[in-house]
Amino acid sequence: MTSPAPEPAYRIDVVEAARLIDEHMPTYGSHLVPLEDAEGCILRQTVTAEREQPPYDRVTMDGIAIDSAALAQGLREFKLTGNQAAGEAAMRLPTTGACIEIMTGAVLPIGADTVIPVERIKLKADRVILEAGYKATPGQFVHTRGSDHAKGLPLLEPGVRIRAPEMAILTVAGSATVEVAEWPKLAVISTGDELVELGQPLETYQIRSSNDRAIQAAFRARGCHDCIRVHLPDEPQRLLQSIGDLHEQMDVLILSGGVSMGKYDYVPGVLEKLGVQLVFHKVLQRPGLPMWFGVSQMGKPVFALPGNPVSTLVCAVRYALPALLKGMATRGKSSEYVVLGDAVTFKPDLTWFLPVKLVGDVGKPARALPRPTNTSGDFISLGDSSGFVELPRGQDRYEAGLNVPFYRW
């Protein structure tokens, strides 16, 4: 006998909303891709070292390779017996008093243990003379074999995003194919009779449909490319049919608009008819108070976001994006922390998602300069922002220097 579904929550705190979403999110699968297609993906395997690194004593400076024992004997002049470039097998130093001209990245010649930079030597025929007064340290400019890591050592763990450094590590590890998280299929659905697509004529009482493109861009920037956009009018039967069809085809639905208390806010009722179980409706936050979240009978999450542009984008970045990344076993926290650059005041007893612009000097924490919008419909102002900070409820003044969570667009 199945237990009854828990009662939905209303007007809850931001922390509780995030917790409830995490509780109801499924875990998404993985697949193998060629390494060249793995950029930006989430790794889902442990990557180990194919061999020790560096795999040989590697020269880090153009110059000559010598045996430091000659230096200990007071030798300042060496006989040049060869030239060795990167990519060539190691030559052998014939005697303690000999040297081999060597290039950066080359294997250290057998019998040598020290490199003298080319700037510190003078060449006369087949003789090399050290600069007067120059003192070399035995072992200098040699990247010792195995000093970075041993063979078989774990180099990357599941959950990391594959950026430029990870691509280099995967290549050195010999990973021609990589197991990565598979993004769920997303449908971003904007609702409203006032919305008009690009290329279509606008009446004075209409606006361009931008929310769906903004949400899609946020997901694409994180590596999700299986994300479609759909616009639906404020017609209950059309909404019911189309949202039902999209639910069958896709893994996650993200809706924008129609979730408040107005006469034409049909979305909650339509989702109820489709069997989507409401988890919560309304969060004590600004912008985005009317946010709605539920899970269908097939276990698919449905995010229904307020229609004002700033509200929509803030809710998508604060809730939907982190939840999906967690379902893909992404490591690390969804937010970073920055320092509030200027003091601000906010009277309502709500969590405030304040747009900010990051500035800062090298080596210092990033400072978040407030860039408040005129209203939650003033999305043009977001063009001068880097993301938003989360200022908690329970106070009405936030001092400069406060350490606060930051979410990038």
Side-chain angles (χ1 to χ4, degrees):
M1 182 176 179
T2 58
S3 57
E7 288 294 317
Y10 297 92
R11 297 184 65 84
I12 60 175
D13 190 79
V14 165
V15 174
E16 177 69 1
R19 185 190 68 79
L20 287 171
I21 291 172
D22 283 349
E23 264 186 18
H24 290 84
M25 288 300 294
T27 299
Y28 298 106
S30 62
H31 59 158
L32 288 174
V33 298
L35 182 57
E36 55 266 26
D37 295 335
E39 181 182 353
C41 295
I42 306 299
L43 187 67
R44 287 287 284 269
Q45 68 179 75
T46 299
V47 176
T48 58
E50 181 181 38
R51 55 180 181 165
E52 58 189 355
Q53 185 67 23
Y56 51 81
D57 289 336
R58 176 180 171 273
V59 173
T60 64
M61 180 74 70
D62 292 342
I64 59 169
I66 63 168
D67 180 355
S68 62
L71 298 175
Q73 297 168 13
L75 204 63
R76 305 289 297 175
E77 185 174 317
F78 298 85
K79 179 176 175 58
L80 184 62
T81 59
N83 179 295
Q84 185 173 313
E88 296 178 349
M91 299 176 67
R92 181 179 291 275
L93 204 63
T95 64
T96 299
C99 70
I100 293 174
E101 189 176 11
I102 198 77
M103 309 301 163
T104 301
V107 180
L108 186 70
I110 299 168
D113 65 358
T114 300
V115 173
I116 308 297
V118 66
E119 297 86 357
R120 301 296 190 175
I121 60 174
K122 291 183 179 180
L123 180 63
K124 289 186 178 181
D126 64 346
R127 311 299 295 180
V128 176
I129 304 168
L130 299 192
E131 178 185 275
Y134 175 70
K135 294 182 179 180
T137 302
Q140 68 182 19
F141 303 120
V142 177
H143 190 185
T144 309
R145 175 180 177 177
S147 59
D148 288 352
H149 59 74
K151 179 179 178 179
L153 185 77
L155 303 178
L156 295 173
E157 298 292 343
V160 301
R161 184 176 298 280
I162 299 173
R163 308 163 302 158
E166 287 76 20
M167 286 293 284
I169 293 168
L170 287 162
T171 302
V172 169
S175 304
T177 59
V178 188
E179 183 185 359
V180 298
E182 192 166 11
W183 273 93
K185 294 185 291 185
L186 271 66
V188 180
I189 307 165
S190 58
T191 67
D193 293 338
E194 75 280 15
L195 304 178
V196 178
E197 270 293 323
L198 290 173
Q200 301 299 315
L202 274 175
E203 299 292 347
T204 56
Y205 49 82
Q206 295 175 319
I207 58 174
R208 294 292 182 198
S209 181
S210 61
N211 288 355
D212 51 350
R213 290 183 184 274
I215 295 172
Q216 185 185 58
F219 279 89
R220 283 185 171 176
R222 274 79 170 184
C224 175
H225 299 289
D226 197 353
C227 178
I228 65 170
R229 295 183 301 105
V230 179
H231 170 237
L232 297 175
D234 290 324
E235 299 174 10
Q237 288 306 311
R238 176 80 178 275
L239 289 167
L240 186 68
Q241 181 64 51
S242 297
I243 294 174
D245 290 344
L246 288 165
H247 171 262
E248 292 289 332
Q249 301 162 16
M250 311 301 283
D251 300 313
V252 180
L253 301 185
I254 302 178
L255 295 96
S256 169
V259 296
S260 192
M261 303 293 289
K263 184 175 180 179
Y264 296 98
D265 289 324
Y266 298 122
V267 168
V270 166
L271 293 173
E272 183 180 353
K273 288 181 180 179
L274 291 171
V276 180
Q277 179 69 43
L278 172 63
V279 175
F280 67 78
H281 188 190
K282 298 185 179 178
V283 184
L284 297 172
Q285 61 189 20
R286 183 176 292 177
L289 189 144
M291 180 178 167
W292 190 106
F293 173 74
V295 180
S296 76
Q297 293 175 349
M298 297 173 64
K300 298 180 180 182
V302 179
F303 297 85
L305 313 180
N308 278 326
V310 180
S311 302
T312 295
L313 188 55
V314 162
C315 289
V317 171
R318 174 60 180 87
Y319 297 107
L321 187 57
L324 266 64
L325 289 172
K326 186 171 182 179
M328 295 162 62
T330 308
R331 294 180 68 189
K333 295 183 177 180
S334 59
S335 63
E336 45 189 304
Y337 279 78
V338 296
V339 173
L340 191 61
D342 298 320
V344 292
T345 57
F346 183 69
K347 298 295 185 181
D349 186 22
L350 302 170
T351 295
W352 189 20
F353 297 130
L354 172 65
V356 295
K357 182 175 183 177
L358 293 191
V359 297
D361 300 322
V362 176
K364 294 183 179 179
R367 290 187 300 122
L369 300 182
R371 293 291 185 268
T373 59
N374 186 32
T375 66
S376 58
D378 179 24
F379 63 95
I380 301 299
S381 296
L382 299 183
D384 188 39
S385 65
S386 311
F388 59 92
V389 293
E390 182 176 315
L391 303 179
R393 296 171 57 201
Q395 59 190 93
D396 56 18
R397 182 171 175 82
Y398 306 87
E399 300 294 344
L402 183 67
N403 204 36
V404 288
F406 170 72
Y407 295 83
R408 293 182 183 272
W409 297 127

